[in-house]
């Protein structure tokens, strides 16, 4: 049984907005290079659209747990899955104020996976991993 956890409910909208932001960013870069009078305006627009694309890449991440194959993967690293039965540590990284940052999975060897998603998705992922592998240790780490 495959379960997919996505960072967004509307991936087509995010993908379309990323493509539009990329096109506008390239246009701003071309105008930035060709025009010297509006130097600061085009450079600031280019930076804004670059960050919009990076935000879109974060939102398009999805994590897949396949209990039959005993693996967890995400869309940028499908080639090297992490085996659920080998996970020894599930770590919640949080700020000093307790705000969730990301989930970190570590197996018995050198395998690891950093899951950047919402707190709700992280709780669901951790619960599903613990249902398959109850020996995994869950801990919370505060930093910054």
């Amino acid at each position: 049984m495959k379960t997919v956890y996505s960072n967004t409910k509307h991936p087509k909208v995010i993908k379309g907005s990323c493509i539009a932001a990329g096109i506008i960013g390239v246009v701003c870069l071309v105008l930035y290079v060709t025009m010297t009078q509006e130097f600061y305006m085009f450079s600031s627009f280019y930076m804004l659209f670059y960050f919009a694309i990076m935000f879109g890449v974060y939102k398009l991440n999805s994590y897949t747990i396949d209990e039959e194959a005993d693996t967890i993967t995400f869309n940028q690293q499908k080639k090297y899955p992490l085996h659920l039965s080998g996970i020894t540590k599930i770590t919640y990284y949080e700020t000093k104020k307790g705000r969730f940052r990301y989930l970190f999975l570590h197996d018995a060897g050198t395998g690891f996976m950093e899951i950047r998603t919402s707190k709700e998705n992280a709780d669901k992922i951790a619960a599903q991993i613990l249902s398959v592998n109850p020996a995994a240790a869950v801990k919370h780490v505060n930093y910054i």
Side-chain angles (χ1 to χ4, degrees):
M1 171 175 137
K2 286 187 179 184
T3 309
V4 177
Y5 298 97
S6 179
N7 284 348
T8 183
K9 293 180 182 175
H10 308 289
K12 289 183 181 179
V13 173
I14 298 294
K15 190 173 186 176
S17 63
C18 280
I19 291 171
I23 291 170
I24 293 171
V26 168
V27 168
C28 287
L29 178 66
V30 168
L31 292 175
Y32 168 75
V33 170
T34 58
M35 300 179 87
T36 57
Q37 287 90 8
E38 306 295 329
F39 175 75
Y40 297 108
M41 184 177 78
F42 291 123
S43 63
S44 63
F45 279 140
Y46 178 70
M47 288 187 310
L48 286 174
F49 288 112
Y50 178 77
F51 289 120
I53 291 171
M54 289 296 115
F55 179 73
V57 167
Y58 160 74
K59 287 302 244 181
L60 287 174
N61 276 342
S62 63
Y63 304 92
T64 305
I65 296 179
D66 189 357
E67 290 183 8
E68 294 171 1
D70 190 42
T71 59
I72 179 170
T73 59
F74 69 102
N75 55 351
Q76 296 172 352
Q77 192 179 8
K78 288 184 180 179
K79 198 173 187 180
Y80 304 105
L82 194 63
H83 294 283
L84 297 175
S85 59
I87 294 176
T88 57
K89 287 188 247 176
I90 301 171
T91 307
Y92 285 86
Y93 279 86
E94 300 167 342
T95 62
K96 284 188 178 181
K97 294 181 180 179
R99 183 174 169 232
F100 175 75
R101 301 300 286 168
Y102 61 92
L103 187 70
F104 190 81
L105 307 176
H106 192 274
D107 70 358
T110 59
F112 64 91
M113 184 176 291
E114 189 174 291
I115 298 177
R116 296 200 175 262
T117 188
S118 66
K119 173 80 167 136
E120 295 79 24
N121 277 349
D123 290 338
K124 291 176 188 175
I125 291 170
Q128 190 168 3
I129 291 170
L130 288 173
S131 71
V132 174
N133 183 8
V138 178
K139 62 182 196 174
H140 295 264
V141 175
N142 294 340
Y143 72 102
I144 299 179

